[in-house]
Amino acid sequence: MWKLADTLLPSRLLLGTAKYPSLHMMKEAIIASDANIITVSLKRQSPREKGGEDFWNYIKSLNCHLLPNTAGCHHAEDAITTAEMAREIFNTHWIKLEVIGDDYNLQPDPFELVKAAKELIQRGFEVFPYCTDDLVLCQRLVDSGCRILMPWGSPIGSGKGLMNPYALETLRTRLPDITLIVDAGIGKPSHATQAMELGFDGVLLNTAVSLAKDPIQMAAAFSHAVQAGRLAYEAGMMLERNCASPSTPLIDTPFWHQVERT
């Protein structure tokens, strides 16, 4: 179990609900993933709009925690308005805050993001900001009151994995008390494992599952990958060495002599 905001959860995998071949496939993939939190976009799939009712019924049947997002917003004011609508419709104060600054790589606008985060926190939201791995930006968001950060591994939907592990590891070291969730760019289960091995608290992904040849099987693969990475981090991984070291001592060599050499 781990604590996200004020909620205890068994799974550290968060899953999106977009781009699945069918609603049935979406539901089965989410079940296979064991995810307890799923993201929904008000601008792209509103339960109040035509065609959204079936989607909403599937979502409710999953009995998962909802994390609405402000996808598609480019300004703080737009994101704040969308967040207020999401709170009313989905009955949650959680919001994944997205304020996009560039339409080519969907990189967050750091200035508008901080502005929106400050205002939403004052309005009682638990803000999950989608941000880059820039330490200064992340610190500004924390100073604004964010308890959770969602830095990207790489641009949304790119599948490139962790482009800058050093920056992500730095965030983990410098912000030890902040919940960190890698969001965006995860393309393979091994990418999710790598993020968890760095000490991140969770992983959020969508495209790698929804566009897989078999979304259900891929969702299960990511579930195991996240668990494996977290277990490895908690167990304490061996340090890299510049020289070889035999794992089994020679019969005629006392084991304590081997320990001294290593």
Side-chain angles (χ1 to χ4, degrees):
M1 299 290 285
W2 68 302
K3 192 173 185 179
L4 179 62
D6 298 316
T7 303
L8 288 176
L9 302 165
S11 174
R12 293 175 179 270
L13 176 62
L14 293 74
L15 205 59
T17 56
K19 299 181 179 180
Y20 287 88
S22 67
L23 291 175
H24 175 74
M25 185 70 75
M26 176 198 72
K27 178 179 178 180
E28 292 303 310
I30 293 172
I31 293 173
S33 74
D34 290 322
N36 307 120
I37 298 176
I38 53 178
T39 62
V40 291
S41 174
L42 183 62
K43 283 201 167 189
R44 293 180 178 147
Q45 189 71 65
S46 171
R48 290 183 175 178
E49 298 298 327
K50 184 178 181 181
E53 186 175 353
D54 288 342
F55 172 82
W56 184 232
N57 288 334
Y58 270 89
I59 290 298
K60 287 191 292 186
S61 70
L62 290 166
N63 197 31
C64 290
H65 295 276
L66 297 183
L67 179 59
N69 65 40
T70 61
C73 294
H74 290 75
H75 303 284
E77 291 76 12
D78 190 18
I80 292 167
T81 299
T82 302
E84 288 286 9
M85 294 172 63
R87 178 159 58 179
E88 178 183 349
I89 293 173
F90 298 113
N91 192 31
T92 178
H93 69 293
W94 286 9
I95 192 71
K96 179 188 172 188
L97 179 60
E98 297 184 32
V99 187
I100 301 303
D102 182 81
D103 287 326
Y104 177 74
N105 65 3
L106 300 180
Q107 180 170 329
D109 183 322
F111 309 102
E112 294 293 298
L113 186 66
V114 171
K115 179 181 177 182
K118 286 181 178 179
E119 179 62 28
L120 288 172
I121 288 171
Q122 291 178 359
R123 297 188 184 196
F125 283 89
E126 187 71 61
V127 178
F128 295 60
Y130 163 61
C131 55
T132 63
D133 53 20
D134 182 85
L135 175 61
V136 176
L137 168 60
C138 289
Q139 186 62 63
R140 293 291 184 272
L141 289 166
V142 171
D143 293 342
S144 299
C146 294
R147 301 189 295 171
I148 301 159
L149 299 179
M150 305 184 79
W152 68 358
S154 51
I156 296 174
S158 68
K160 291 182 176 294
L162 309 188
M163 294 191 305
N164 194 343
Y166 168 76
L168 293 173
E169 190 172 15
T170 299
L171 290 180
R172 180 69 289 169
T173 301
R174 296 290 298 277
L175 303 172
D177 299 323
I178 298 301
T179 298
L180 297 177
I181 300 171
V182 170
D183 175 19
I186 300 296
K188 304 174 184 177
S190 58
H191 296 159
T193 300
Q194 183 184 8
M196 299 304 294
E197 287 176 347
L198 290 176
F200 275 68
D201 298 286
V203 171
L204 191 157
L205 57 99
N206 187 163
T207 308
V209 169
S210 64
L211 296 188
K213 182 179 179 181
D214 186 337
I216 299 173
Q217 188 171 348
M218 186 61 75
F222 271 105
S223 176
H224 293 304
V226 168
Q227 293 179 50
R230 184 64 189 184
L231 285 173
Y233 174 73
E234 292 177 345
M237 294 168 288
M238 68 173 289
L239 299 176
E240 294 184 5
R241 296 169 174 168
N242 292 324
C243 60
S245 177
S247 58
T248 304
L250 299 176
I251 294 177
D252 59 350
T253 304
F255 73 88
W256 57 83
H257 182 61
Q258 287 287 333
V259 171
E260 291 174 355
R261 290 180 56 190
T262 58

